[in-house]
Structures are given as C-alpha cells and as structure tokens.
Amino acid sequence: MGTMLCAAFDAREARLRVVLALFGLNALGYFAGGEVTALLLRHHRPTAMLAWGVGYGLGLGAGLGVAFHLCQARARALLGR
C-alpha cells in the first residue's frame, strides 16, 4: 500500500518512511486493540469486539494520515504551505 501511494503521488523518496508508518501504526492499533479486548472479554464480549475494532481503526487511520502527509510534502512545498 505504501509503495502504491508513493507511486500515485510521485513521492518515491518517501517510500521507506511511508511503509514504516503504515506498518508500525497499523500494528500498534492491532495489538493495542487486542490487549483492550483481552481485558474486556470476561465482562462483555460485544464491547470487547467493538474495542478491538476501534483500536485497529485508529491505528490504520493514523497510518494512512501519516502516509498521505508524507506523500504530499512536495505538493505542499510547491504551494508554499
């Protein structure tokens, strides 16, 4: 996904940072959501499952946000922002 985003934005120089951001934040959300799920599973299963989804979604969303920010750096520089 990181390589595809970098190719789409012609930001090949940012590929390693984009891939690491996507992988790291996605993994963080996945495992943090798993830990919260393990804590809540004994008490309320549906809430535990929802908590995992929220953690994973936050991690994936943060990774995508960082990836887009890195890919658009050159465009922002050209616009003077």
Side-chain angles (χ1 to χ4, degrees), residues 3 5 8 10 18 21 29 31 42 44-49 55 59 62-64 66 68 76 78:
T3 300
L5 283 173
D10 195 26
V18 169
F31 289 112
R42 296 176 212 173
H44 197 257
R45 184 177 171 87
T47 303
M49 295 168 64
L64 286 171
V66 170
F68 278 111
R76 283 192 314 276
L78 289 173

Side-chain angles (χ1 to χ4, degrees), residues 19-68:
V19 169
L20 289 175
L22 282 170
F23 178 78
L25 291 169
N26 193 20
L28 180 67
Y30 181 89
F31 289 112
E35 289 297 318
V36 172
T37 299
L39 292 172
L40 294 174
L41 201 53
R42 296 176 212 173
H43 304 293
H44 197 257
R45 184 177 171 87
T47 303
M49 295 168 64
L50 181 64
W52 182 85
V54 168
Y56 181 69
L58 287 172
L60 179 60
L64 286 171
V66 170
F68 278 111

